[in-house]
Amino acid sequence: MVGFFLVAEVGAQEAEQRTQAEAAYRRALAHRRAGELEEAARAAEEAIRLWPRHAGAYMTLGAVRRMQNRLEEALGAFEKAVELEPQSREAVAMVGAVLARMGRCEEALQPLRRAIEIERRDLQSWVNLGACLRRLRRLDEAIRVYEQALLVFPDEVELTNNYAVALRQAGRLEEAIAALEQAIERRPEVADLHLNLGIAYRTAGRYAEAARAYEAWRARSDASSDPAPLFDLAYCYERLGRKEEAIKLYRLYQSLVADRDPRGGERAAERLKGLGVR
């Protein structure tokens, strides 16, 4: 009977710990929703201390540390969640996402592919996988990944945009242009599609078409937050012999980058000098 009561007592203690762990986990979720990140992390760590196999607490801890840009800690928490729940698409995907964000793209490939195997409609893992392959300059693989992803998400603008970038980087300019033009027919309001179309046309030396695409981008975005395309647009006008428009844009670009990119300002000054502006 002593043994029976001892087992019962241990079982009751374990049940109480699990109850307390779940309460701490719920507090962690509430703190995270409220934006109270350190409080959320402490509550998640308490849940883990009380019940070390609480995968949800590790996921919450990882999410908080990722939001705080404490990526090594985030990675460790997500890896522990995968160890506890190997079939968790979210946990596997987050391991890949954090590795990608850390620039460890070679390591990120396996978990990202695994996340997609678990759930083909994991859009962000498709995006991250393609981005990692592009960073590794494995462009043919990246293109195949985007083509597979677009079979699942045919109308997803980010995938189409990134697919076109990979095609352009691989030197397949006409295919990149065609993909972007088709996407713009469906979603003309998306500025990045016009921007990448302009880059593709400029790379192909088709400056008039590039200028139109850059102007379409400009009409849909705030150039002050991303002035670099203004330089490219000015260059297109310069190549088209539209000198006054080129000068105006180089000067605008100079004013926007004066405090953040001195080298960019110098490049614009060199172009203006070539146009006879002192």
Side-chain angles (χ1 to χ4, degrees):
M1 292 296 290
V2 173
F4 171 79
F5 287 121
L6 181 59
V7 170
E9 183 178 345
V10 170
Q13 290 174 347
E14 184 177 287
E16 178 61 22
Q17 283 183 303
R18 294 187 69 164
T19 298
Q20 292 176 8
E22 190 63 23
Y25 171 58
R26 298 297 171 191
R27 289 198 303 276
L29 294 177
H31 284 306
R32 181 185 168 192
R33 284 193 296 269
E36 299 162 353
L37 299 184
E38 268 311 311
E39 293 88 343
R42 283 196 293 271
E45 287 168 343
E46 181 184 354
I48 291 165
R49 178 183 61 80
L50 290 164
W51 190 251
R53 296 189 61 78
H54 200 309
Y58 280 108
M59 287 296 296
T60 299
L61 179 60
V64 169
R65 294 311 189 204
R66 182 174 181 241
M67 292 169 70
Q68 295 174 317
N69 208 35
R70 294 164 62 170
L71 298 182
E72 286 289 354
E73 294 172 66
L75 179 61
F78 289 133
E79 286 177 334
K80 185 63 178 179
V82 171
E83 179 184 322
L84 294 169
E85 294 186 357
Q87 295 302 313
S88 168
R89 189 275 315 164
E90 183 181 8
V92 175
M94 290 311 302
V95 169
V98 172
L99 286 168
R101 186 164 159 185
M102 295 170 76
R104 294 163 59 178
C105 281
E106 193 69 53
E107 296 170 72
L109 298 180
Q110 190 277 331
L112 291 172
R113 292 186 192 279
R114 176 63 183 141
I116 292 165
E117 286 176 6
I118 296 170
E119 174 49 73
R120 280 185 66 77
R121 295 196 64 80
D122 180 354
L123 173 60
Q124 194 56 51
S125 288
W126 282 111
V127 170
N128 289 337
L129 178 58
C132 275
L133 288 167
R134 280 171 45 216
R135 285 179 208 150
L136 293 167
R137 305 303 297 175
R138 292 161 61 171
L139 296 176
D140 289 343
E141 289 179 69
I143 289 167
R144 286 195 295 272
V145 161
Y146 288 130
E147 288 172 344
Q148 292 166 5
L150 285 165
L151 293 175
V152 183
F153 300 100
D155 298 319
E156 180 53 50
V157 169
E158 185 176 9
L159 285 173
T160 302
N161 205 33
N162 293 346
Y163 172 51
V165 171
L167 287 168
R168 173 173 57 79
Q169 290 173 331
R172 295 163 60 176
L173 293 176
E174 292 307 316
E175 292 172 79
I177 288 167
L180 289 163
E181 287 179 336
Q182 290 170 15
I184 286 169
E185 286 181 8
R186 298 192 302 271
R187 298 287 303 279
E189 76 282 5
V190 179
D192 279 351
L193 293 173
H194 295 279
L195 174 57
N196 279 305
L197 181 59
I199 295 169
Y201 275 133
R202 178 177 54 79
T203 305
R206 295 163 62 175
Y207 297 110
E209 293 156 299
R212 285 195 294 272
Y214 280 121
E215 288 290 6
W217 161 81
R218 191 178 176 193
R220 292 164 174 80
S221 62
D222 177 12
S224 64
S225 63
D226 180 19
L230 293 177
F231 185 99
D232 293 343
L233 176 56
Y235 179 77
C236 289
Y237 283 140
E238 182 182 348
R239 292 300 300 265
L240 291 167
R242 295 163 64 173
K243 179 178 176 180
E244 294 305 316
E245 291 166 283
I247 290 170
K248 183 179 178 180
L249 282 167
Y250 281 133
R251 283 176 168 164
L252 175 58
Y253 172 78
Q254 274 185 311
S255 71
L256 292 173
V257 303
D259 297 329
R260 48 181 151 167
D261 183 9
R263 179 65 189 118
E266 291 171 9
R267 288 175 61 228
E270 290 169 5
R271 302 306 310 177
L272 286 166
K273 184 177 179 180
L275 290 169
V277 177
R278 298 291 185 267

